Amino acid sequence: MPPVESAASILILWAVAGYLLGSIPFGMVLARVMGLGNLREIGSGNIGATNVLRTGNKVAAALTLLLDGGKGALAVLLARAIAGEDAAQLAGLAAFAGHCYPVWLGFRGGKGVATFLGLLLALAWPVGIAACLTWLATAVVARISSLAALVAAVLAPVWALVLGHGAAVALATCLAALILWRHRSNIARLRAGTEPRIGQKDK
């Protein structure tokens, strides 16, 4: 973790700002605007890009991926530019929490993978790129989105350490633990061999 140099009031402000930014449910907004239906009634019921892809609209899925990642990156970059590195990490964590537990949706949000990757790219771009490549490689080989997310999350703190971004290790570890928690049902299906592959309907 970076040294805490900002005043408590500043940190609280950026935590709130990060949460509100992260809580924007882009997947649901795009699905509604593009006439794709209610994501809660499609596939897994999740609001992220993987479930948007189950509507058959690849453009909507790509936009959801970019916007969910972008809101995590934006939270980090704004906080860093205005307040400093301690606020940037807190804003990133809060944006992730906002995506997973948005107040607008009764605290029932997404699983945070795109937001996680986006904020990592903004926080320490070599770590973010390594995490993205880990996700991509696992997805290409296994064709299972959740497995790719889990492998990328678990290895993110390792990449942070190996690539010389020690200040990001604690945050990456915390986020990895949260991603594992959010994917507990997926982990159960992976163990049972029933987790759907990319492009298949959720079971």
Side-chain angles (χ1 to χ4, degrees):
M1 292 290 291
V4 178
E5 299 175 340
S6 301
S9 59
I10 297 297
L11 294 176
I12 292 171
L13 175 64
W14 281 106
V16 172
Y19 174 84
L20 292 175
L21 185 58
S23 68
I24 302 172
F26 284 114
M28 294 195 75
V29 172
L30 288 169
R32 179 164 298 184
V33 169
M34 300 175 76
L36 304 177
N38 184 356
L39 283 183
R40 293 300 192 195
E41 300 173 355
I42 297 171
S44 64
N46 192 22
I47 67 171
T50 299
N51 203 43
V52 174
L53 184 61
R54 294 188 177 104
T55 67
N57 193 313
K58 294 181 180 179
V59 172
L63 287 173
T64 301
L65 180 67
L66 290 173
L67 290 170
D68 281 349
K71 65 188 182 184
L74 184 60
V76 170
L77 293 174
L78 284 176
R80 174 184 285 154
I82 297 173
E85 197 64 28
D86 52 352
Q89 290 213 14
L90 184 57
L93 176 60
F96 180 87
H99 178 81
C100 294
Y101 305 101
V103 64
W104 328 112
L105 301 179
F107 302 102
R108 293 174 57 241
K111 296 184 178 179
V113 179
T115 305
F116 166 72
L117 294 174
L119 72 88
L120 274 185
L121 284 168
L123 188 70
W125 65 264
V127 179
I129 288 177
C132 288
L133 290 176
T134 300
W135 186 96
L136 182 61
T138 307
V140 168
V141 172
R143 302 295 298 170
I144 300 177
S145 179
S146 61
L147 180 61
L150 292 168
V151 173
V154 169
L155 288 181
V158 178
W159 292 129
L161 189 61
V162 169
L163 295 172
H165 292 272
V169 171
L171 178 59
T173 301
C174 178
L175 293 172
L178 290 171
I179 286 178
L180 289 172
W181 172 253
R182 295 293 291 172
H183 282 78
R184 57 194 184 280
S185 61
N186 302 86
I187 292 172
R189 289 195 295 270
L190 285 167
R191 294 179 64 182
T194 58
E195 182 74 341
R197 295 180 182 274
I198 295 173
Q200 290 182 341
K201 292 183 178 181
D202 197 34
K203 297 181 180 179

